[in-house]
Amino acid sequence: MIEQFIGVDWGSTNLRAWLFDGDLCVDTLRSERGVTRFDGQQPEAIFHQLFDNWLAQYPDGIPVVMAGMIGSNAGWIPTPYQMCPANLSQIAHHLMPVAQLAPMRAWIVPGLAINQDGNCNVMRGEETQLVGAHAQKPAAYYVMPGTHCKWVQMDGDTVADFRTVMTGELHHLLINHSLVGAGIGVQRESQQAFRQGMEIGFNETHIIRRLFETRAAHVLGQLDPSVVQEWLSGLLIGNEVAQMQQQYADVNQRGVTIIGNQSLTARYREALALAGIPHQAIDGDDAFKSGIRSLVYELEN
């Protein structure tokens, strides 16, 4: 049975890694060398730059399992998606070996995909969080906040359906690259502004028409420019929850488990409470670490 191993969440902009001895995490590593920041270097070279200090501690080799965008066509080795419906227990049987690291044993986790009329979707990295979260807190629905928020519908241990909502990226683009964020100055936290935006967004059926009003409201003195970011966050998250509540008709009866960091989880908790959706939460890093351990242990079976 594999005891010592390295688990890596290698995303678009950042990388997080954990060195495991059994269930114990003995070291961590964080880097900004995501797959969009290779700067012309080969992935193998970056891998050794990041991990040679760990690898030197194991002269007989240590297994490595990597998840996330490292398995995309912009990453290291394009790793085929597993098509949904997909059973979480089967993901470990489709890991992609990384031949360039031989004789070291290394693999990349496949993502999940849906290719149906009315729903084309992909995920990479979140499937590993799902494996861990479902083992700890089984649920019928999961919400995974982030740049591209995932809403996942489960059928037992099987991912039956999922949708992607670009709430985080849209917020970033509007604040940093559009007229909505022009001239707003330094921003501050405001629970009141977030709540006001969230309530409007939740009850809005045509969110696009509300976006420019974010600018108009502070230009006309109805919204403090220093809380535009908070108000817009509430507007978008509130509308997201309202739309997905319509998408999944039984979500109020079955509830949702949020997989994410503390800050985003708190925002989604508030929106889910407004919608009357029962919910619980699990830390995103804890879910990933649990998931990567499960995948490694399955390799021996």
Side-chain angles (χ1 to χ4, degrees):
M1 181 176 179
I2 296 174
E3 290 292 341
Q4 293 85 21
F5 66 94
I6 296 171
V8 185
D9 182 6
W10 204 330
S12 297
T13 56
N14 297 291
L15 173 150
R16 296 171 299 167
W18 297 268
L19 178 61
F20 290 95
D21 188 345
D23 289 337
L24 181 65
C25 177
V26 297
D27 204 356
T28 61
L29 183 152
R30 294 178 181 268
S31 169
E32 295 182 351
R33 299 303 300 274
V35 301
T36 61
R37 296 174 175 174
F38 285 171
D39 298 328
Q41 286 190 283
Q42 293 300 310
E44 184 177 357
I46 294 173
F47 176 88
H48 283 290
Q49 291 168 16
L50 294 172
F51 294 109
D52 273 356
N53 286 340
W54 281 359
L55 299 177
Q57 301 174 37
Y58 302 90
D60 294 330
I62 182 172
V64 180
V65 179
M66 298 173 276
M69 288 299 289
I70 194 63
S72 72
N73 58 7
W76 194 340
I77 299 174
T79 303
Y81 292 104
Q82 294 301 298
M83 302 304 297
C84 292
N87 192 284
L88 293 177
S89 66
Q90 295 301 307
I91 292 175
H93 301 295
H94 297 278
L95 303 190
M96 174 70 73
V98 183
Q100 293 94 325
L101 293 177
M104 182 191 306
R105 292 190 293 167
W107 301 268
I108 295 176
V109 182
L112 299 180
I114 292 179
N115 188 5
Q116 302 172 352
D117 290 343
N119 186 13
C120 290
N121 257 293
V122 296
M123 68 166 68
R124 286 199 187 274
E126 294 94 347
E127 76 293 321
T128 304
Q129 289 184 315
L130 282 173
V131 171
H134 199 67
Q136 295 184 39
K137 294 185 177 181
Y141 290 98
Y142 292 95
V143 177
M144 311 173 80
T147 304
H148 300 146
C149 183
K150 305 291 184 183
W151 287 69
V152 181
Q153 182 184 44
M154 301 294 298
D155 181 5
D157 294 335
T158 296
V159 179
D161 186 70
F162 68 90
R163 306 278 169 152
T164 304
V165 190
M166 294 176 61
T167 302
E169 183 171 4
L170 183 57
H171 182 270
H172 174 80
L173 291 172
L174 289 171
I175 290 294
N176 294 287
H177 302 289
S178 83
L179 195 60
V180 169
I184 60 176
V186 176
Q187 296 295 284
R188 62 181 175 87
E189 294 185 6
S190 172
Q191 181 64 26
Q192 181 181 6
F194 175 81
R195 179 78 186 187
Q196 290 173 344
M198 181 185 66
E199 291 176 351
I200 291 172
F202 185 80
N203 293 294
E204 178 57 71
T205 56
H206 301 290
I207 190 65
I208 291 177
R209 70 184 180 189
R210 283 287 185 178
L211 297 180
F212 187 78
E213 292 181 26
T214 306
R215 172 172 173 77
H218 80 78
V219 169
L220 297 174
Q222 291 194 26
L223 180 66
D224 185 338
S226 69
V227 299
V228 166
Q229 185 168 294
E230 289 283 286
W231 194 89
L232 181 62
S233 175
L235 182 77
L236 294 173
I237 291 174
N239 191 256
E240 174 191 333
V241 169
Q243 293 299 316
M244 298 313 295
Q245 186 178 39
Q246 295 179 34
Q247 176 69 42
Y248 297 119
D250 62 344
V251 70
N252 279 64
Q253 290 71 46
R254 307 189 72 181
V256 162
T257 294
I258 310 168
I259 307 172
N261 63 46
Q262 184 176 1
S263 177
L264 278 176
T265 292
R267 291 174 183 263
Y268 276 78
R269 277 189 181 277
E270 190 166 352
L272 290 167
L274 177 64
I277 300 174
H279 54 276
Q280 58 181 345
I282 181 171
D283 179 77
D285 281 355
D286 288 345
F288 184 90
K289 289 185 285 186
S290 175
I292 209 79
R293 284 197 302 266
S294 295
L295 294 175
V296 168
Y297 296 158
E298 283 291 328
L299 285 169
E300 297 293 286
N301 298 326

